[in-house]
Amino acid sequence: MSRVRLSFTPAPVHVRTARLVGVAVARRAGVAEELLDEVRLAIGEACARAVALHRQYGLTELVMVEMSDGPTYTVRVIDRAPIEAGLGLAALPPDELADESLTDEALTVGVGFALLAGFVEDLQVRPVDEGVGTEVRMAWPLGR
């Protein structure tokens, strides 16, 4: 099993780099060509969500991305925002995300989860072990 770790300052310009690296690692790991667009979009959305949360809370800590090719191609995107901010809307179904009483910040997080759920069948969102931040874990099958 190989592992690639990437960390970047929470700036939107770095999301593109994370997408490019993520797709290159996915291709090398053996993810089917027809899934690579989904991988690219999902990694971009998860990283953009993390950057938005960091910027919203004025955090300068790095956004962490880890890619590995065990039995599946797995990507973990870890932010350092308060857990309630990162998980607050994770369980809401997409129709509830249209609620006009939700704030713009909440919609950024909620819409991100709705989009990710459309791109990734194996999606998990959970608090980070250290108690601050959330981890978005996505996995795709390998074609080997």
Side-chain angles (χ1 to χ4, degrees), residues 83-134:
I83 290 175
E84 57 277 359
L87 294 177
L89 298 177
L92 285 181
D95 59 326
E96 289 187 35
L97 293 173
D99 184 344
E100 291 180 19
S101 68
L102 296 175
T103 65
D104 288 342
E105 293 82 15
L107 284 174
T108 297
V109 175
V111 170
F113 285 128
L115 288 172
L116 282 171
F119 298 139
V120 185
E121 286 184 34
D122 187 353
L123 172 68
Q124 297 175 4
V125 181
R126 56 185 169 216
V128 176
D129 294 333
E130 297 88 38
V132 177
T134 54

